Amino acid sequence: MSGSTPTPETSAPGPHPEPLPGPPSVPPPPHPGARTHPYPYPHPYPVPAQAGPFAAPAGSPYAALARNGGQRLRRELGGTALLLAAVVVGMVALFVLALVLVTVLGIPAGDADSGAIFVDPAAEVALGLLSLALAIPAVLLVVRRIQRRPAGTISSVTGRLRLGWLARCAGLALPVLAADIALLVWLLPVTGGDGPDGPADFFDPPAWPALLLGLAVVWLLVPFQAAAEEYLFRGWILQAFGAHLRSPWAGIAVGSVLFALGHGFGQWSGFALLLYSAAWYAWLTLRTGGLEAAIAHHMVNNLLAFTLDALAGDLGAEGTAADAPWQALALELVATPLYCLLVVRLADRRKIATVSP
């Protein structure tokens, strides 16, 4: 019939093009770090990458937790520079605030020759401990923003600081370090070192209000100061090297040397003690999958040292572990490995995670 629309049956014979292929039945896996599209076929436009955070693959050891697919050398270098800048700016801000308090509130100022801002040793110690504790938020910020991974992965393979495990490690550290210090106090005068001649020479505390204030400052702030050094020298440095190197020894060596240098220059025995302890701390961090065991030993050691300084009336005195005598180094050669081996045995018994879940 004229004017009728041809149908497929009445259309002219001839070859027809093959039909276009339909969408695949199973969409291809998305590119790591890219958004998955709601349609089952590829989108014609580029898909913007996510900002993170991206965790390392399951089964990664502590040193490799920054190896999340987005590691770049410029991120580790830039993160280190930003980390140092943040700590320095925070320290300057704290010291400016201290000067304002001295000037505005009339708080007694320290001696200009000694460089002390406060005349009260407890206030001076608090300022120093707080300035070091600033490294904790700085490290967490750089890990999250620069390396684009969960901030908790700097603490342990589980993505958090395991406080229960830290407390158990502190319980092991206390008797080991108490015996170490007691032996040192006995050994110094016996070997001709500069030690106390007796209890009356050692315990010379200030008045009760000053003593209680000093102890409160020490027990409140020393845990954060000790943890900050571990986050910086064992956490950031180990994982920054581990993001690019499979062997952890470069990170252990660099972190240990920087840790020893960070305490200043004193006696050769003090430098060797710090270097030796730092290497064991790094090994223990890798062996237990987190910073908790190293933080516990560092924290208990500093708490005992500062508490004894307060009882001796020497809180705020100049000097660090870099000034440790050879007798302290000799005892350290045994005490630190003993603690580390006890912790590893306890970790194996309690099945502490050493790789990411």
Side-chain angles (χ1 to χ4, degrees), residues 21-43:
S25 58
V26 179
H31 187 274
R35 299 181 189 274
T36 56
H37 202 271
Y39 299 102
Y41 51 86
H43 198 271

Side-chain angles (χ1 to χ4, degrees), residues 43-120:
H43 198 271
Y45 302 104
V47 179
Q50 290 181 337
F54 305 111
S60 298
Y62 179 83
L65 291 181
R67 200 180 299 166
N68 59 352
Q71 69 270 19
R72 302 289 186 275
L73 182 59
R74 65 178 183 272
R75 289 185 178 175
E76 277 64 59
L77 294 176
T80 301
L82 181 60
L83 179 59
L84 295 176
V87 172
V88 170
V89 170
M91 287 182 175
V92 172
L94 271 179
F95 281 98
V96 169
L97 177 60
L99 291 174
V100 170
L101 292 176
V102 169
T103 305
V104 175
L105 300 182
I107 299 176
D111 187 5
D113 295 334
S114 64
I117 296 179
F118 299 106
V119 70
D120 186 358

Side-chain angles (χ1 to χ4, degrees), residues 59-62 157 162 286-290 347-348 351-356:
S60 298
Y62 179 83
V157 293
R162 300 167 290 191
L286 298 176
R287 183 61 177 77
T288 59
D348 292 340
K351 295 180 172 55
I352 298 298
T354 58
V355 296
S356 59

